[in-house]
Amino acid sequence: MATAAKEGGLGGAESSPSTPLATPVATPVSTRSVKWEKDVEDAAGALDRPLLHKRCTNTTSQMAVVGANTCPIESLDYEVVENEVYNQDWRSRGKLQIFQYQALKWALALFVGLVVALVGFFNNIAVENIAGFKLLLTSDLMLKDRYMMAFVVYIGCNTTLAAAAAALCAYVAPAAAGSGIPEVKAYLNGIDAHSILAPSTLLVKIFGSVLGVSAGFVLGKEGPMVHTGACVASFLGQGGSRKYGITWNWIRYFKNDLDRRDLITCGAAAGVAAAFRAPVGGVLFALEEVTSWWRSALLWRTFSTTAVVAMVLRGLISYCRGGHCGLFGKGGLIMFDLSSRQATYTATDLAAVMLLGILGGLLGALFNYFVDRILRVYSILNEKGARSKIILTVTISVITSCCTFGLPWLTSCTPCPPELAGKCPTIGRSGNFKNFQCPAGHYNALASLFFNTNDDAIRNLFSAGTDREFGVATLLTFFVTVYALGILTYGVAVPSGLFIPVILAGASFGRLTGSLVGSISGLDTGLFALLGAASFLGGTMRMTVSVCVILLELTNDLHLLPLIMLVLLIAKTVADCFNKGVYEQMVRMKGLPYLEVHAEPCMRSLVAGDVVSGPLITLSSVERVGTVVETLRHTGHNGFPVIEEPPFAAAPELCGLVLRSHLLVLLQGRIFTRGRAKASAAEVFRTLAPFDFAKAGSGKGLKVEDLGLSEEEMDMYVDLHPITNRSPYTVVENMSLAKAAVLFRGLALRHMCVVPMTQGRPPVVGILTRHDFMPQYIRGLYPNTIPR
């Protein structure tokens, strides 16, 4: 496959034809200086044999799974294209325009925080009211002893809500399915895909998340809020959407991938802040988990965004506590105030906490393994079409409803504690002591966990001073059910997050552990529930600093910091011995070509020239219009080396790199000459403005078919000098591939030109793109470099 076209058409090389089996295998450049001990040991008399056998064809897919949809992927242009258009743009900007650019950066960041806060507030009010109405209706029927009708209403409401959420994802925006964190993580690494941050994805993410959580699934809205925040930032940063006729020209300064990346990072952090009311945790989450490039200026803007989220939510929640928001109560924005506890602990307590961390790491790694397996099965089912996605979602909804409604019937009723005679049993939508089918003065412990919203269930598990409320059998049943349902639910075609299922499973397991070690530990079982949630978060997501701060902001108790830190570090260390974090697994499983910070070990045995192939497609600095059009029409590449040839240079030399999008704009401007001569830059700027070359937002962009060039124009010439990046990043062909990968990733590049070591050869050997650094591609070229 062509060097520069390995990412859905991301470079400037033409695909090489398939090589017959009789063709001798190629010897990589690196074999002249690299010796592998294994090859020397395997064959004593074969030192003249190539140490690496190169395949001349490569079948690595350029498709990836985004949400529940398979679509082609591309790279983003984070590099600043320093051509004459760019230089002219900055020369034309005065101090006022530069100030306006900087001020708009801050204004947009703050505005993103405001919008994300409002969206998060709407999500919580909608979930609390829809789920609350469903639970109240079912509870009223059960109080009248109409249990069968209550079950029919309960399962009917859940399946209807689930089917509606699945239909939105299946027919309107398949990219909205799942949590969206892997997609945002990949986007901020430089990977773009169709509809990943589109307005339709945003709308379906909001309403689908509300319907899915209200349907009683074991999932949360916290992960989707990260994707929602990124979509909001993308929509505002690109000036709206041409497709939907919503555009703002005053945001034209931000029509580039670099500024959008920073704004989307702010949006992702705002999503976490809105979900957990944790502004500092949101900033650290963006830094630790989703973003690939960070700097101090972005830290300030991100923190300002999350601060706006916290202030807006605080005001809106205070308003709702006055009874102005329907069934909205303490739930929704899960804030668990544990500041009244005195967390004193002994060496025995620390031993119990360490045991909890070890078990949380083991169970977290096992959770990731099963999630990976179940997602592979679901992907086969989802490929059958939208109807299959809806049927699968409804099936999981029925299973969940049967478990949450049926399992409480298997447990006996528990007498209410005498000191809680006024609060037990709970009559209504939420509470610690659900009456369910029990007689007066009794409560059903399992129903207090199952027959609640997920937020209220977590609050019940975290509650202090209720050591005897939930028995061992109740906690074990709830843990096993939630653990299994969390695995089964993640992967259905609804917006779904993993934070809540993991917190639920961890809290129930932690409280179970606290009940079992209660004779030797003086810690409250509610505190064990919190530490269990931390251990499961560390074991599944492998985040430490951000999770620690988020939990501290949720509980409002700094005294818990040492215990939370200890359990997180132990859980992550244990889980890392078995597999990677759940989001890293999903990025890889979805086929997203994510660039890691460190190069693969096999790259140290290869050089840049080993992974480039030809023939390479190049353009002359003054090229025939028909040649440019045919090149664009018959290739999907997005970058082409420009060669300066006689009479403009004494010998062929690399002039720079030109982007496909810039070529299309230049051709549309029809700045042509009849002879092969340079056109003045002033003439180009009289016809085209610098903002004409800005990247289009979501919607239809300029295509070759839209040019409508005549036969006479096709025979004319176009000067590429004004739009050519005169200073592209280049590496010599004998540079270590590992060093090239670190340089490529560190500079956030899309294209890297490979130049020859010696003179007398073509000025460009090939182009390195993101795809060339993928282990799957390297394995396709050299099967014995990376073990399968």
Side-chain angles (χ1 to χ4, degrees):
M1 182 170 286
T3 305
K6 297 185 184 86
E7 283 188 286
L10 298 185
E14 184 62 56
S15 300
S16 57
S18 301
T19 304
L21 295 177
T23 303
V25 293
T27 305
V29 177
S30 58
T31 58
R32 293 194 287 267
S33 58
V34 178
K35 292 183 179 180
W36 284 9
E37 294 181 3
K38 183 177 184 301
D39 291 287
V40 176
E41 294 173 356
D42 288 348
L47 294 180
D48 57 340
R49 182 184 59 191
L51 302 182
L52 302 176
H53 300 281
K54 181 176 179 179
R55 291 178 178 172
C56 295
T57 59
N58 179 52
T59 57
T60 308
S61 173
Q62 299 313 306
M63 308 294 287
V65 178
V66 178
N69 190 34
T70 303
C71 60
I73 54 176
E74 288 188 352
S75 282
L76 295 167
D77 292 304
Y78 289 152
E79 178 188 0
V80 175
V81 180
E82 295 182 351
N83 52 24
E84 293 183 21
V85 173
Y86 174 83
N87 295 332
Q88 172 67 19
D89 180 26
W90 276 101
R91 282 194 298 265
S92 63
R93 294 188 186 185
K95 292 184 178 180
L96 180 61
Q97 288 178 306
I98 294 176
F99 173 78
Q100 182 185 21
Y101 171 71
Q102 296 295 336
L104 279 175
K105 276 188 175 181
W106 283 94
L108 272 179
L110 299 178
F111 190 52
V112 166
L114 173 63
V115 175
V116 172
L118 293 176
V119 171
F121 182 69
F122 166 78
N123 282 358
N124 283 278
I125 286 185
V127 169
E128 289 289 320
N129 281 276
I130 296 175
F133 176 78
K134 175 190 67 179
L135 293 173
L136 279 177
L137 183 61
T138 308
S139 298
D140 290 342
L141 291 172
M142 296 190 69
L143 289 174
K144 299 176 183 178
D145 295 334
R146 301 176 63 184
Y147 300 121
M148 184 56 66
M149 179 59 67
F151 175 69
V152 172
V153 170
Y154 182 73
I155 197 172
C157 291
N158 285 344
T159 53
T160 301
L161 293 170
L168 286 175
C169 287
Y171 292 108
V172 181
S179 69
I181 293 180
E183 285 80 1
V184 175
K185 185 181 176 77
Y187 185 91
L188 294 178
N189 189 255
I191 304 168
D192 194 13
H194 178 68
S195 298
I196 191 172
L197 298 174
S200 59
T201 303
L202 170 62
L203 293 176
V204 173
K205 204 76 180 182
I206 295 173
F207 293 102
S209 177
V210 169
L211 294 172
V213 175
S214 301
F217 282 121
V218 182
L219 52 82
K221 53 188 177 297
E222 288 67 29
M225 272 304 301
V226 175
H227 195 182
T228 298
C231 289
V232 168
S234 175
F235 181 77
L236 296 177
Q238 70 188 15
S241 171
R242 293 182 182 179
K243 180 179 180 181
Y244 299 100
I246 305 174
T247 57
W248 304 296
N249 291 328
W250 54 275
I251 312 186
R252 61 186 183 275
Y253 294 117
F254 297 95
K255 291 198 172 183
N256 61 82
D257 290 331
L258 185 60
D259 285 326
R260 286 180 191 169
R261 181 187 73 188
D262 292 348
L263 197 61
I264 288 169
T265 302
C266 294
V272 175
F276 293 106
R277 208 191 313 170
V280 181
V283 175
L284 293 176
F285 177 86
L287 170 62
E288 183 178 6
E289 183 61 24
V290 295
T291 190
S292 297
W293 295 279
W294 194 262
R295 61 187 190 279
S296 58
L298 181 59
L299 174 66
W300 278 103
R301 283 203 299 276
T302 306
F303 184 72
S304 301
T305 304
T306 57
V308 170
V309 173
M311 290 186 290
V312 172
L313 288 178
R314 180 74 65 177
L316 292 174
I317 292 172
S318 300
Y319 173 77
C320 280
R321 283 176 177 166
H324 306 290
C325 302
L327 298 174
F328 184 86
K330 295 181 181 179
L333 298 165
I334 53 174
M335 184 73 177
F336 313 111
D337 192 356
L338 308 180
S339 57
S340 59
R341 301 184 187 180
Q342 295 297 324
T344 57
Y345 37 87
T346 63
T348 306
D349 297 330
L350 289 178
V353 171
M354 293 174 66
L355 175 63
L356 183 60
I358 294 173
L359 295 176
L362 292 173
L363 291 171
L366 185 64
F367 186 90
N368 290 359
Y369 171 79
F370 283 124
V371 165
D372 181 82
R373 297 294 100 186
I374 201 70
L375 286 178
R376 295 182 187 277
V377 175
Y378 285 174
S379 65
I380 299 174
L381 299 176
N382 290 334
E383 288 176 357
K384 297 181 179 179
R387 184 176 301 177
S388 177
K389 296 177 184 179
I390 298 175
I391 293 175
L392 175 62
T393 303
V394 172
T395 301
I396 300 300
S397 176
V398 171
I399 295 174
T400 303
S401 301
C402 291
C403 290
T404 54
F405 191 93
L407 288 177
W409 289 89
L410 304 180
T411 60
S412 58
C413 297
T414 305
C416 291
E419 64 274 13
L420 298 175
K423 299 181 179 179
C424 178
T426 301
I427 304 298
R429 144 187 105 77
S430 63
N432 277 55
F433 306 96
K434 281 281 188 177
N435 179 261
F436 206 62
Q437 89 292 4
C438 295
H442 292 72
Y443 72 95
N444 190 310
L446 203 52
S448 299
L449 298 175
F450 274 128
F451 213 64
N452 256 324
T453 62
N454 292 332
D455 294 351
D456 286 330
I458 294 174
R459 186 170 291 103
N460 292 344
L461 289 169
F462 282 1
S463 59
T466 55
D467 294 352
R468 294 178 297 174
E469 179 183 352
F470 304 109
V472 173
T474 298
L475 293 172
L476 181 61
T477 303
F478 184 75
F479 165 69
V480 172
T481 305
V482 168
Y483 192 87
L485 288 177
I487 295 171
L488 288 176
T489 304
Y490 197 78
V492 298
V494 296
S496 55
L498 274 178
F499 275 100
I500 291 300
V502 171
I503 291 176
L504 271 175
S508 57
F509 183 79
R511 194 171 181 110
L512 173 62
T513 304
S515 300
L516 296 176
V517 301
S519 58
I520 61 173
S521 175
L523 295 179
D524 187 84
T525 54
L527 179 56
F528 267 106
L530 174 63
L531 296 176
S535 70
F536 269 54
L537 287 170
T540 55
M541 300 180 184
R542 313 296 161 84
M543 294 181 290
T544 53
V545 180
S546 56
V547 168
C548 183
V549 173
I550 287 173
L551 290 176
L552 288 178
E553 291 184 282
L554 283 176
T555 58
N556 194 28
D557 191 356
L558 195 60
H559 296 292
L560 301 176
L561 177 61
L563 294 179
I564 295 177
M565 291 176 64
L566 177 64
V567 77
L568 277 171
L569 290 173
I570 293 176
K572 173 177 168 53
T573 303
V574 171
D576 281 340
C577 298
F578 299 96
N579 50 34
K580 292 184 177 293
V582 64
Y583 295 129
E584 295 178 6
Q585 283 188 177
M586 282 189 283
V587 166
R588 179 177 299 180
M589 186 178 61
K590 287 174 175 288
L592 297 166
Y594 188 87
L595 284 176
E596 300 289 350
V597 177
H598 303 290
E600 293 287 337
C602 69
M603 294 182 184
R604 304 188 185 279
S605 302
L606 299 169
V607 297
D610 289 338
V611 296
V612 297
S613 57
L616 180 69
I617 291 183
T618 62
L619 297 173
S620 297
S621 57
V622 179
E623 186 63 86
R624 180 176 169 271
V625 174
T627 302
V628 177
V629 172
E630 290 302 312
T631 300
L632 296 176
R633 183 174 294 160
H634 293 98
T635 66
H637 314 330
N638 284 284
F640 301 91
V642 177
I643 307 300
E644 194 82 88
E645 297 176 335
F648 307 108
E653 61 183 29
L654 178 62
C655 178
L657 191 77
V658 64
L659 298 180
R660 181 187 188 91
S661 58
H662 291 180
L663 285 172
L664 290 170
V665 174
L666 187 64
L667 292 175
Q668 189 182 42
R670 287 170 166 76
I671 308 173
F672 306 146
T673 58
R674 295 191 178 277
R676 198 161 182 256
K678 288 186 178 181
S680 64
E683 182 181 354
V684 175
F685 297 134
R686 280 196 298 268
T687 306
L688 297 172
F691 287 116
D692 293 332
F693 294 90
K695 184 174 181 178
S698 62
K700 183 180 179 182
L702 187 61
K703 298 180 180 179
V704 183
E705 293 77 13
D706 301 329
L707 297 177
L709 298 174
S710 64
E711 290 294 331
E712 182 182 1
E713 291 172 326
M714 295 285 277
D715 289 330
M716 300 176 75
Y717 290 86
V718 59
D719 183 13
L720 305 183
H721 286 98
I723 62 170
T724 299
N725 183 3
R726 297 296 188 91
S727 55
Y729 287 96
T730 61
V731 294
V732 184
E733 60 181 338
N734 66 338
M735 174 181 274
S736 166
L737 188 61
K739 286 187 177 181
V742 173
L743 181 65
F744 190 94
R745 203 264 189 192
L747 295 174
L749 301 180
R750 185 177 187 179
H751 306 97
M752 179 184 284
C753 295
V754 181
V755 298
M757 285 189 301
T758 58
Q759 297 180 353
R761 299 171 56 190
V764 183
V765 175
I767 294 182
L768 290 175
T769 62
R770 170 182 299 269
H771 182 75
D772 295 295
F773 301 105
M774 293 297 107
Q776 297 86 349
Y777 171 63
I778 299 175
R779 184 187 294 123
L781 293 177
Y782 306 105
N784 61 328
T785 55
I786 306 178
R788 292 186 180 274

